[in-house]
Amino acid sequence: MRPTATQPTTRETVDAFFTHFGGGDLPALLDLFAEQVDFNVSGASNVPWAGGRSNKEEIAEFFGLFGEHLTSAEEFALNTTVIDGEHAIVTGRCVFGVLSTGKKFTNDFALHFTVTGGKIVRYHMYENSHAISEAFTA
């Protein structure tokens, strides 16, 4: 599907995602997602946000978990964005602390977005799940 004048491109949607995520604007962030989403973050069972989700309510819960469990980001940088039609791959690096343990983790990550009709229909995050799991271990 080609974007129309009223439909944002994949790049515009992904850029808006990071703008809203960085600004803490959850309603605007959620508006970027389709009603049903293939949403998955692999990880250990002790990482609160690991697992699959499929609707906006579950996705809102996912993004809310960061503030409940993590310090503010000590580092958050996007390194590369590759766009191929409806697909976008974004790589980056972040450093957070875990509130319950006081431990920090460094996370080199990749996000695979699929955008259809200006909405995110697929969100798969690949992150350093070992480092994150270790930081959640007391």
PDB file of all heavy atoms in Angstrom, residues 22-40:
ATOM      1  N   GLY A  22      10.073   9.353  23.346  1.00  0.00           N
ATOM      2  CA  GLY A  22      11.025  10.205  24.046  1.00  0.00           C
ATOM      3  C   GLY A  22      10.358  11.308  24.845  1.00  0.00           C
ATOM      4  O   GLY A  22      10.850  11.720  25.898  1.00  0.00           O
ATOM      5  N   GLY A  23       9.232  11.796  24.361  1.00  0.00           N
ATOM      6  CA  GLY A  23       8.506  12.860  25.046  1.00  0.00           C
ATOM      7  C   GLY A  23       7.527  12.353  26.088  1.00  0.00           C
ATOM      8  O   GLY A  23       6.859  13.142  26.754  1.00  0.00           O
ATOM      9  N   GLY A  24       7.393  11.034  26.215  1.00  0.00           N
ATOM     10  CA  GLY A  24       6.478  10.468  27.192  1.00  0.00           C
ATOM     11  C   GLY A  24       5.015  10.674  26.865  1.00  0.00           C
ATOM     12  O   GLY A  24       4.166  10.647  27.750  1.00  0.00           O
ATOM     13  N   ASP A  25       4.695  10.869  25.583  1.00  0.00           N
ATOM     14  CA  ASP A  25       3.315  11.121  25.163  1.00  0.00           C
ATOM     15  C   ASP A  25       2.645   9.795  24.793  1.00  0.00           C
ATOM     16  O   ASP A  25       2.579   9.415  23.622  1.00  0.00           O
ATOM     17  CB  ASP A  25       3.311  12.092  23.974  1.00  0.00           C
ATOM     18  CG  ASP A  25       1.914  12.557  23.604  1.00  0.00           C
ATOM     19  OD1 ASP A  25       0.918  11.959  24.070  1.00  0.00           O
ATOM     20  OD2 ASP A  25       1.824  13.528  22.827  1.00  0.00           O
ATOM     21  N   LEU A  26       2.160   9.077  25.809  1.00  0.00           N
ATOM     22  CA  LEU A  26       1.576   7.751  25.594  1.00  0.00           C
ATOM     23  C   LEU A  26       0.344   7.776  24.681  1.00  0.00           C
ATOM     24  O   LEU A  26       0.244   6.939  23.783  1.00  0.00           O
ATOM     25  CB  LEU A  26       1.259   7.072  26.927  1.00  0.00           C
ATOM     26  CG  LEU A  26       0.765   5.633  26.831  1.00  0.00           C
ATOM     27  CD1 LEU A  26       1.775   4.731  26.134  1.00  0.00           C
ATOM     28  CD2 LEU A  26       0.440   5.101  28.216  1.00  0.00           C
ATOM     29  N   PRO A  27      -0.594   8.720  24.842  1.00  0.00           N
ATOM     30  CA  PRO A  27      -1.746   8.716  23.930  1.00  0.00           C
ATOM     31  C   PRO A  27      -1.334   8.869  22.460  1.00  0.00           C
ATOM     32  O   PRO A  27      -1.858   8.155  21.591  1.00  0.00           O
ATOM     33  CB  PRO A  27      -2.586   9.899  24.400  1.00  0.00           C
ATOM     34  CG  PRO A  27      -2.244  10.053  25.852  1.00  0.00           C
ATOM     35  CD  PRO A  27      -0.767   9.712  25.932  1.00  0.00           C
ATOM     36  N   ALA A  28      -0.408   9.771  22.172  1.00  0.00           N
ATOM     37  CA  ALA A  28       0.043   9.949  20.784  1.00  0.00           C
ATOM     38  C   ALA A  28       0.800   8.718  20.307  1.00  0.00           C
ATOM     39  O   ALA A  28       0.680   8.316  19.146  1.00  0.00           O
ATOM     40  CB  ALA A  28       0.911  11.192  20.663  1.00  0.00           C
ATOM     41  N   LEU A  29       1.577   8.099  21.189  1.00  0.00           N
ATOM     42  CA  LEU A  29       2.306   6.879  20.850  1.00  0.00           C
ATOM     43  C   LEU A  29       1.332   5.763  20.497  1.00  0.00           C
ATOM     44  O   LEU A  29       1.469   5.107  19.458  1.00  0.00           O
ATOM     45  CB  LEU A  29       3.195   6.472  22.023  1.00  0.00           C
ATOM     46  CG  LEU A  29       4.106   5.282  21.820  1.00  0.00           C
ATOM     47  CD1 LEU A  29       5.227   5.623  20.854  1.00  0.00           C
ATOM     48  CD2 LEU A  29       4.680   4.825  23.146  1.00  0.00           C
ATOM     49  N   LEU A  30       0.333   5.567  21.325  1.00  0.00           N
ATOM     50  CA  LEU A  30      -0.648   4.501  21.081  1.00  0.00           C
ATOM     51  C   LEU A  30      -1.436   4.735  19.801  1.00  0.00           C
ATOM     52  O   LEU A  30      -1.821   3.782  19.127  1.00  0.00           O
ATOM     53  CB  LEU A  30      -1.603   4.370  22.266  1.00  0.00           C
ATOM     54  CG  LEU A  30      -0.983   3.841  23.551  1.00  0.00           C
ATOM     55  CD1 LEU A  30      -1.992   3.899  24.685  1.00  0.00           C
ATOM     56  CD2 LEU A  30      -0.448   2.427  23.358  1.00  0.00           C
ATOM     57  N   ASP A  31      -1.656   5.987  19.452  1.00  0.00           N
ATOM     58  CA  ASP A  31      -2.397   6.308  18.232  1.00  0.00           C
ATOM     59  C   ASP A  31      -1.651   5.852  16.972  1.00  0.00           C
ATOM     60  O   ASP A  31      -2.260   5.688  15.921  1.00  0.00           O
ATOM     61  CB  ASP A  31      -2.683   7.805  18.169  1.00  0.00           C
ATOM     62  CG  ASP A  31      -3.656   8.145  17.060  1.00  0.00           C
ATOM     63  OD1 ASP A  31      -4.710   7.479  16.964  1.00  0.00           O
ATOM     64  OD2 ASP A  31      -3.350   9.071  16.271  1.00  0.00           O
ATOM     65  N   LEU A  32      -0.361   5.622  17.090  1.00  0.00           N
ATOM     66  CA  LEU A  32       0.421   5.154  15.938  1.00  0.00           C
ATOM     67  C   LEU A  32       0.206   3.673  15.643  1.00  0.00           C
ATOM     68  O   LEU A  32       0.547   3.204  14.569  1.00  0.00           O
ATOM     69  CB  LEU A  32       1.920   5.406  16.177  1.00  0.00           C
ATOM     70  CG  LEU A  32       2.334   6.864  16.311  1.00  0.00           C
ATOM     71  CD1 LEU A  32       3.793   6.945  16.738  1.00  0.00           C
ATOM     72  CD2 LEU A  32       2.120   7.604  14.990  1.00  0.00           C
ATOM     73  N   PHE A  33      -0.360   2.944  16.592  1.00  0.00           N
ATOM     74  CA  PHE A  33      -0.545   1.502  16.439  1.00  0.00           C
ATOM     75  C   PHE A  33      -1.919   1.172  15.874  1.00  0.00           C
ATOM     76  O   PHE A  33      -2.911   1.842  16.180  1.00  0.00           O
ATOM     77  CB  PHE A  33      -0.380   0.793  17.790  1.00  0.00           C
ATOM     78  CG  PHE A  33       1.046   0.713  18.260  1.00  0.00           C
ATOM     79  CD1 PHE A  33       1.586   1.717  19.039  1.00  0.00           C
ATOM     80  CD2 PHE A  33       1.849  -0.358  17.909  1.00  0.00           C
ATOM     81  CE1 PHE A  33       2.904   1.665  19.472  1.00  0.00           C
ATOM     82  CE2 PHE A  33       3.167  -0.435  18.333  1.00  0.00           C
ATOM     83  CZ  PHE A  33       3.699   0.577  19.115  1.00  0.00           C
ATOM     84  N   ALA A  34      -1.971   0.116  15.071  1.00  0.00           N
ATOM     85  CA  ALA A  34      -3.238  -0.411  14.563  1.00  0.00           C
ATOM     86  C   ALA A  34      -4.015  -1.017  15.740  1.00  0.00           C
ATOM     87  O   ALA A  34      -3.466  -1.215  16.826  1.00  0.00           O
ATOM     88  CB  ALA A  34      -2.965  -1.475  13.500  1.00  0.00           C
ATOM     89  N   GLU A  35      -5.270  -1.336  15.518  1.00  0.00           N
ATOM     90  CA  GLU A  35      -6.088  -1.940  16.575  1.00  0.00           C
ATOM     91  C   GLU A  35      -5.557  -3.315  16.982  1.00  0.00           C
ATOM     92  O   GLU A  35      -5.597  -3.672  18.149  1.00  0.00           O
ATOM     93  CB  GLU A  35      -7.557  -2.022  16.143  1.00  0.00           C
ATOM     94  CG  GLU A  35      -8.227  -0.664  16.018  1.00  0.00           C
ATOM     95  CD  GLU A  35      -8.182   0.148  17.304  1.00  0.00           C
ATOM     96  OE1 GLU A  35      -8.404  -0.409  18.396  1.00  0.00           O
ATOM     97  OE2 GLU A  35      -7.900   1.364  17.221  1.00  0.00           O
ATOM     98  N   GLN A  36      -5.084  -4.080  16.021  1.00  0.00           N
ATOM     99  CA  GLN A  36      -4.469  -5.385  16.287  1.00  0.00           C
ATOM    100  C   GLN A  36      -3.028  -5.333  15.798  1.00  0.00           C
ATOM    101  O   GLN A  36      -2.775  -4.914  14.664  1.00  0.00           O
ATOM    102  CB  GLN A  36      -5.235  -6.512  15.582  1.00  0.00           C
ATOM    103  CG  GLN A  36      -6.582  -6.796  16.201  1.00  0.00           C
ATOM    104  CD  GLN A  36      -6.461  -7.337  17.620  1.00  0.00           C
ATOM    105  OE1 GLN A  36      -5.776  -8.313  17.886  1.00  0.00           O
ATOM    106  NE2 GLN A  36      -7.133  -6.666  18.555  1.00  0.00           N
ATOM    107  N   VAL A  37      -2.094  -5.745  16.664  1.00  0.00           N
ATOM    108  CA  VAL A  37      -0.675  -5.623  16.363  1.00  0.00           C
ATOM    109  C   VAL A  37       0.038  -6.931  16.691  1.00  0.00           C
ATOM    110  O   VAL A  37      -0.236  -7.558  17.719  1.00  0.00           O
ATOM    111  CB  VAL A  37      -0.036  -4.477  17.192  1.00  0.00           C
ATOM    112  CG1 VAL A  37       1.437  -4.312  16.859  1.00  0.00           C
ATOM    113  CG2 VAL A  37      -0.779  -3.168  16.970  1.00  0.00           C
ATOM    114  N   ASP A  38       0.957  -7.321  15.841  1.00  0.00           N
ATOM    115  CA  ASP A  38       1.879  -8.428  16.128  1.00  0.00           C
ATOM    116  C   ASP A  38       3.038  -7.800  16.892  1.00  0.00           C
ATOM    117  O   ASP A  38       3.946  -7.229  16.301  1.00  0.00           O
ATOM    118  CB  ASP A  38       2.338  -9.062  14.811  1.00  0.00           C
ATOM    119  CG  ASP A  38       3.393 -10.139  15.003  1.00  0.00           C
ATOM    120  OD1 ASP A  38       3.690 -10.510  16.158  1.00  0.00           O
ATOM    121  OD2 ASP A  38       3.942 -10.599  13.982  1.00  0.00           O
ATOM    122  N   PHE A  39       2.974  -7.857  18.219  1.00  0.00           N
ATOM    123  CA  PHE A  39       3.874  -7.117  19.100  1.00  0.00           C
ATOM    124  C   PHE A  39       4.606  -8.128  19.971  1.00  0.00           C
ATOM    125  O   PHE A  39       3.981  -8.880  20.715  1.00  0.00           O
ATOM    126  CB  PHE A  39       3.021  -6.186  19.966  1.00  0.00           C
ATOM    127  CG  PHE A  39       3.772  -5.184  20.798  1.00  0.00           C
ATOM    128  CD1 PHE A  39       3.756  -3.840  20.452  1.00  0.00           C
ATOM    129  CD2 PHE A  39       4.464  -5.561  21.944  1.00  0.00           C
ATOM    130  CE1 PHE A  39       4.414  -2.895  21.234  1.00  0.00           C
ATOM    131  CE2 PHE A  39       5.121  -4.628  22.717  1.00  0.00           C
ATOM    132  CZ  PHE A  39       5.102  -3.289  22.364  1.00  0.00           C
ATOM    133  N   ASN A  40       5.939  -8.163  19.883  1.00  0.00           N
ATOM    134  CA  ASN A  40       6.678  -9.147  20.661  1.00  0.00           C
ATOM    135  C   ASN A  40       8.038  -8.613  21.081  1.00  0.00           C
ATOM    136  O   ASN A  40       8.742  -7.983  20.292  1.00  0.00           O
ATOM    137  CB  ASN A  40       6.871 -10.438  19.863  1.00  0.00           C
ATOM    138  CG  ASN A  40       7.386 -11.548  20.744  1.00  0.00           C
ATOM    139  OD1 ASN A  40       6.760 -11.918  21.728  1.00  0.00           O
ATOM    140  ND2 ASN A  40       8.546 -12.064  20.411  1.00  0.00           N
TER     141      ASN A  40
END
